[in-house]
Amino acid sequence: MTRILVVDDEPQILRALRINLAARRYEVAVAADGGAALREAADWHPDLVILDLGLPDIDGIDVIHGLRGWTSIPILVLSGRTGGADKVDALDAGADDYVTKPFNIDELLARVRAVTRRTALHESELAQIHIGDRVVDLVSKTVSDGVRLTPTEWHLLEILLRNPGKLVSQRQLLTEVWGEKYLKETHYLRQYMTQMRKKLERDPAHPVHLLTEPGMGYRFNP
């Protein structure tokens, strides 16, 4: 049974999420502040953390840093902060995804399934991935139907495919592919994503797999 730690200082949200998650056979623990969250995570070792940023004692970004100091478990931020800078800060700190309040419970549950599924994937399952009509093989670095990708396209695509459902920040992609000196060159990402969509998506103008989250980053939707 998947263990989920829900961290929020609003009792009604804790109660609603506990009920909805338990009904779907998740094991749930709750914490109302950052200190309790860090202690519960260390003692209970959850498989996923759903985290509010506006906590009464420790800012949620600091909780993310505290968790990332010793664990790589997925962190799904659930916050009333809707500003782009807050989302980017959370992603750069190590969050896996970001949902804003008020939220739709079905969307939240879909994000939970996506991040838990990603952590359960094995290398063999990542070897061949379908994107529209194409089959991408990360082991042999080939795409079906003779489609050819450049080394940079492969690098970008592999980061996204190895994180299915995860919102990968622009900062992470630019740093990993080009280096920290290129953090402002977001047009690089736009150009390469356009090229990859033309090669991989059925309808490049309306992509369903290689998605843009404006101002934040990109996501591979399996």
Side-chain angles (χ1 to χ4, degrees), residues 112-205:
V112 167
R113 290 192 297 272
V115 294
T116 53
R117 182 172 63 246
R118 176 174 60 81
T119 58
L121 286 173
H122 297 289
E123 193 69 22
S124 60
E125 295 174 288
L126 285 168
Q128 293 191 339
I129 300 172
H130 290 265
I131 302 181
D133 298 321
R134 313 296 186 196
V135 178
V136 179
D137 191 320
L138 292 180
V139 176
S140 63
K141 291 276 195 298
T142 58
V143 182
S144 62
D145 301 322
V147 174
R148 294 183 178 276
L149 300 180
T150 68
T152 300
E153 289 171 346
W154 270 115
H155 199 167
L156 282 170
L157 184 63
E158 186 165 355
I159 295 171
L160 293 173
L161 296 191
R162 290 186 181 278
N163 294 278
K166 177 181 177 179
L167 175 54
V168 183
S169 71
Q170 294 177 346
R171 176 185 292 271
Q172 179 181 343
L173 290 170
L174 288 167
T175 300
E176 291 194 26
V177 178
W178 286 280
E180 293 187 357
K181 294 181 180 179
Y182 294 84
L183 290 180
K184 295 183 179 180
E185 309 299 335
T186 55
H187 63 284
Y188 284 14
L189 294 174
R190 291 194 296 273
Q191 292 169 358
Y192 275 95
M193 290 299 295
T194 297
Q195 293 171 194
M196 290 194 295
R197 287 173 180 142
K198 289 179 179 178
K199 296 178 180 181
L200 300 173
E201 292 273 7
R202 289 176 182 171
D203 183 357

Side-chain angles (χ1 to χ4, degrees), residues 27-85:
E27 189 175 351
V28 185
V30 298
D33 59 56
L38 292 172
R39 291 191 296 273
E40 187 71 22
D43 294 339
W44 194 52
H45 296 284
D47 301 299
L48 168 69
V49 176
I50 298 177
L51 175 68
D52 181 25
L53 294 184
L55 299 173
D57 58 341
I58 304 173
D59 188 79
I61 299 294
D62 293 325
V63 174
I64 296 173
H65 284 300
L67 291 170
R68 284 291 172 258
W70 63 273
T71 181
S72 60
I73 58 172
I75 300 172
L76 174 59
V77 169
L78 179 63
S79 177
R81 300 180 187 176
T82 59

